[in-house]
Each structure stands twice: as C-alpha cells, then as structure tokens.
C-alpha cells in the first residue's frame, strides 16, 4: 500500500492478532479477476480504496477527468453508515460487524470525491462517520477504536478540511485533532528535534518517525494530499504550543533528515539493508512545500525525478499519484518528470479517462459498468501479512508499495 499507510496498518494488525511470518505474492494468478474499473493490477484486498482514491485525486489535480466507472466503483465501496473498508469484494453485500473499517481509506475517498465534485451525499456520510469514531484525545487510529496515531489523525484532518469542516472545531470531549497531534510531537533538541512520532511506545515514549512527521506537518497545517506552496517560515525549533509551531518544527526535522541522506529519506525494514524511501520522500516534499520550505522541497523533487522511475513502475497507481502530488506542490511539470509523463503512466494503470488534458472540469457521478468481477479475501489477512514484513506512511501505507 502507499507509504503513508504502513505504520497504521501494522498497528491495526497488532490489535487483530499475531502476524503471519511470510507475505503472499501480490501478483494475480491467471484465475484471479479484479474489477475492471480499478486502478492497478495487484491484489486490492487491503489497499483498493486507498489507491483508487489517490489515482482519482491525482488525475483531478492535473485536470484529467477520470473514467466514470472508476469513480462509481469508489462510491459503491461505501458502507451504509458512511465508512469505507480497505476493499469490499462485493459491494452488493451489506457491511456488517466483520467488515474491517478503515479511517484512512475513508479519508482518502473523501479527499478524492470532494475534489471531483458531485458526491456530496457520499462525502457527508463519510465525514459523519469519521466524527463518530473520533477518540477522546481528539485523534484517530487506523481502525475505529484504535489508539490515535499521527498518520491517521492527519489524513482524517485533511479529509475534514477538504469537506469544508474546521478541524480545530471537530472535537471529542473538548479535544480536537490538533490536540492529539501536539501530544505526538517531540520536543526540540536531541534526536527527535521537533519531529512527530507515529504513536507512543509501550513505555509511553515518543520516537521520531520521518513518515509520521511528513503526515503530521500536513495535519497540523490542516492540509490534505494536494497542496500549494505555503509562506516560508524561518522559525527555529521552539516548544510547540500551537499546531503551526508543531508544523514548523516538523518541517525543520524533515529538512535536516533529507539533507543528511542526499535529499531523500531512507527506510530500514527488519532484516534488510537501509534503502532509499521514495514514497516517504515524496510525502516529505509535499509537507515541506505546504510549510513553505520550498528550497529543500525542490532539491528533493529533483532527486525523485532522477531516481523514482523504477519504484513507481513496480509500485503502481498510488506511487504515481504521490509523485504527481510532489510535482504539483513544487510547480514541477508532472508530464515531464525526469523525462517521464507521470499522468500518462498513471492513466495506463486503469481505465482510459474521459478527458486527458487540462480541462478544469470535475467528474460527475455518472453510472457505467461497475466492473463487478470482484475477487478478495478478508482484509485482516492482508494486514497480518504486511505486519509480518515489518514497518516500511502507510498506506500508507497504509501493501505498502515501497516494500
């Protein structure tokens, strides 16, 4: 799944039970059939809604009007209570107590469908559900009822803002998402130096996490995945008593981390050598641009232009979308990204769009072939498989494509 989702998925897996030690091959066998409206050719059982949402949002960002059936596929994934699961093999079957609901997928769908327009009923119900599962500390976990984490709280915050809500006024027991994020921000000085943690560890301690920090900066700013460059801030790391200061501190941490490793972030999976983390680097570019730290954002997006092609091709639609978001945030042409046309490459992973140029139009909720040739297994099986691999955002992710 997408970089942004990995840590949250692993946390959810820990709640569900012990992980399976080996991961299944994500490539489909000849007997498997996935929905014709879905972007990507990998098993969607635990990232279908996420990657579809990112693909549609990225297309809208560059003025492409997605295929109507792809938009309809996403809307039909919604449960009656407004929530989205990571993937529903058969949307004609009602969600029940066994359906593993997903705050991250729900939030990504809200951001995509709000941008596309014409889906107010869907997004209104989704926002209502998100509010109903807010934790007492003001945040959200990956699964409803799970302990709040920076990644999930931030993506929900982005969905609330996209839908016209004021995140600082969405409260549970007097606590807003910003209150939850401030509790997950590390103090200045030391190894953390203003970063965000994913969650407290078993001892209640916070550890700096670059993935969570990229998410936390956006959440503290009340921004979603698509951002415009913010006003540059030269503020030094100071005690974070406001979300704005927490965002500035987090951006400072990311700037130092990126510069340290040659303008990109590194990941270290259990049992593997450290390697460049393309997805988290793209997320960091978006976060820095939103905060106004455009100099480092531009250096890192240049690095992505030179180095991310193979990763994106292997990872699929969510990866192409992340790169498009990074390009958009820095004013880089996504149709000439290191010589590659990200828009064309993303489009090739799914149904042909209705329009392929900069039209400025929004997709409507047109009905078309639903692509009902569904395949899938229970979501938590996929979660446990990912947990067996180890932390890689998420989403991202949240089957993380970086793996």
């Amino acid at each position: 799944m997408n970089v942004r989702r990995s840590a949250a998925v692993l946390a959810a897996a820990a709640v569900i039970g012990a992980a399976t030690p080996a991961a299944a091959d994500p490539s489909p066998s000849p007997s498997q059939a996935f929905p014709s409206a879905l972007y990507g050719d990998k098993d969607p059982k635990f990232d279908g809604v996420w990657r579809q949402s990112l693909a549609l949002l990225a297309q809208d960002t560059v003025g492409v009007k997605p295929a109507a059936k792809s938009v309809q596929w996403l809307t039909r994934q919604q449960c009656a209570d407004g929530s989205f699961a990571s993937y529903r093999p058969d949307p004609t079957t009602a969600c029940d107590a066994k359906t593993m609901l997903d705050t991250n997928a729900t939030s990504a769908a809200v951001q995509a469908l709000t941008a596309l327009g014409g889906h107010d009923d869907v997004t209104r119900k989704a926002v209502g559900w998100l509010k109903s599962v807010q934790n007492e500390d003001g945040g959200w976990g990956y699964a409803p009822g799970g302990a709040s984490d920076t990644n999930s709280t931030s993506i929900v915050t982005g969905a609330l803002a996209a839908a016209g809500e004021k995140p600082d006024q969405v409260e549970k027991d007097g606590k807003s998402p910003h209150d939850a994020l401030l509790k997950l921000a590390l103090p200045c000085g030391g190894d953390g130096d203003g970063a965000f943690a994913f969650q407290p560890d078993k001892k209640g301690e916070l550890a700096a996490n670059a993935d969570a920090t990229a998410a936390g900066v956006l959440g503290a700013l009340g921004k979603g995945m698509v951002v415009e460059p913010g006003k540059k801030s030269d503020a030094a790391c100071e005690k974070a008593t406001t979300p704005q200061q927490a965002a500035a501190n987090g951006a400072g941490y990311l700037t130092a981390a990126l510069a340290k490793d040659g303008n990109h972030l590194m990941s270290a999976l259990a049992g593997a050598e450290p390697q460049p983390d393309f997805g988290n680097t793209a997320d960091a570019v978006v976060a820095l641009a939103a905060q106004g730290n455009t100099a480092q954002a531009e250096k890192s997006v240049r690095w992505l232009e030179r180095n991310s092609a193979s990763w994106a091709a292997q990872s699929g639609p969510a990866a192409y979308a992340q790169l498009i978001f990074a390009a958009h945030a820095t004013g880089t042409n996504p149709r000439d990204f290191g010589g590659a046309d990200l828009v064309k490459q993303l489009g090739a992973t799914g149904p042909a769009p209705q329009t392929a140029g900069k039209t400025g139009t929004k997709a409507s909720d047109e009905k078309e072939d639903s692509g009902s040739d569904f395949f899938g297994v229970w979501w938590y099986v996929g979660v446990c498989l990912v947990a067996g691999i180890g932390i890689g955002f998420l989403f991202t992710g949240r089957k993380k494509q970086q793996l």
Side-chain angles (χ1 to χ4, degrees):
M1 63 185 66
N2 178 269
V3 173
R4 175 102 13 120
R5 295 169 50 89
S6 60
V9 166
L10 295 173
V15 174
I16 293 171
T20 302
D25 183 354
S27 302
S29 67
S31 63
Q32 295 176 1
F34 299 138
S36 63
L38 181 65
Y39 280 83
D41 60 1
K42 304 291 177 58
D43 195 332
K45 62 179 173 282
F46 55 95
D47 80 327
V49 168
W50 177 263
R51 76 189 192 212
Q52 189 82 346
S53 298
L54 266 64
L56 299 179
L57 181 58
Q59 288 187 320
D60 178 83
T61 300
V62 296
V64 172
K65 189 174 183 178
K69 69 176 183 179
S70 291
V71 180
Q72 187 194 35
W73 181 90
L74 181 58
T75 62
R76 294 183 72 230
Q77 286 286 302
Q78 188 174 42
C79 298
D81 64 359
S83 64
F84 285 76
S86 299
Y87 172 66
R88 294 172 61 198
D90 182 4
T92 64
T93 300
C95 300
D96 57 23
K98 295 181 179 180
T99 303
M100 304 305 296
L101 304 180
D102 180 343
T103 63
N104 290 230
T106 301
S107 298
V110 169
Q111 292 191 46
L113 294 172
T114 299
L116 291 168
H119 305 282
D120 290 350
D121 289 343
V122 176
T123 57
R124 187 181 304 111
K125 288 176 63 178
V127 167
W129 179 79
L130 288 169
K131 289 181 178 181
S132 75
V133 297
Q134 185 176 17
N135 291 332
E136 292 180 356
D137 62 4
W140 285 266
Y142 179 82
S148 297
D149 66 76
T150 295
N151 298 60
S152 298
T153 299
S154 296
I155 192 171
V156 174
T157 298
L160 294 172
E165 299 281 344
K166 296 181 178 180
D168 61 340
Q169 296 179 12
V170 177
E171 298 181 339
K172 180 70 174 291
D173 292 344
K175 300 292 185 181
S176 76
H178 288 161
D179 292 308
L181 290 174
L182 286 174
K183 284 190 173 183
L184 291 165
L186 277 74
C188 298
D191 293 336
D193 201 21
F196 284 86
F198 173 66
Q199 282 179 330
D201 63 20
K202 293 181 179 179
K203 296 181 179 180
E205 300 294 326
L206 300 179
N209 182 301
D211 175 22
T213 301
V217 169
L218 291 178
L221 293 172
K223 302 292 185 181
M225 301 180 201
V226 180
V227 306
E228 305 296 333
K231 183 178 180 180
K232 182 172 174 52
S233 171
D234 294 318
C237 191
E238 299 177 357
K239 183 177 180 179
T241 58
T242 66
Q244 292 77 18
Q245 185 62 52
N249 293 349
Y253 174 86
L254 288 175
T255 297
L258 287 162
K260 175 183 176 182
D261 289 313
N263 297 318
H264 64 277
L265 297 174
M266 299 291 290
S267 66
L269 305 182
E273 291 294 324
Q275 58 183 322
D277 192 324
F278 302 96
N280 279 344
T281 299
D283 289 342
V285 167
V286 175
L288 289 179
Q291 175 61 25
N293 293 36
T294 55
Q296 183 59 59
E298 289 173 359
K299 291 177 182 178
S300 294
V301 85
R302 299 288 88 81
W303 181 88
L304 286 169
E305 283 188 295
R306 296 190 299 271
N307 297 284
S308 64
S310 295
W311 166 75
Q314 180 180 11
S315 302
Y320 286 123
Q322 283 181 277
L323 294 176
I324 288 173
F325 298 149
H328 175 81
T330 55
T332 303
N333 184 1
R335 298 179 186 276
D336 185 12
F337 194 81
D341 187 340
L342 297 177
V343 180
K344 181 178 180 180
Q345 290 173 328
L346 171 60
T349 68
Q354 296 182 63
T355 60
K358 190 76 176 178
T359 64
T361 59
K362 301 293 182 181
S364 60
D365 189 17
E366 301 176 57
K367 291 188 177 181
E368 199 171 307
D369 170 39
S370 63
S372 58
D373 49 336
F374 294 95
F375 165 83
V377 298
W378 291 114
W379 173 89
Y380 68 83
V381 174
V383 168
C384 292
L385 290 174
V386 175
I389 301 173
I391 291 182
F393 95 41
L394 257 114
F395 182 269
T396 168
R398 312 179 189 80
K399 190 170 85 188
K400 176 176 178 179
Q401 304 293 354
Q402 169 64 24
L403 301 179

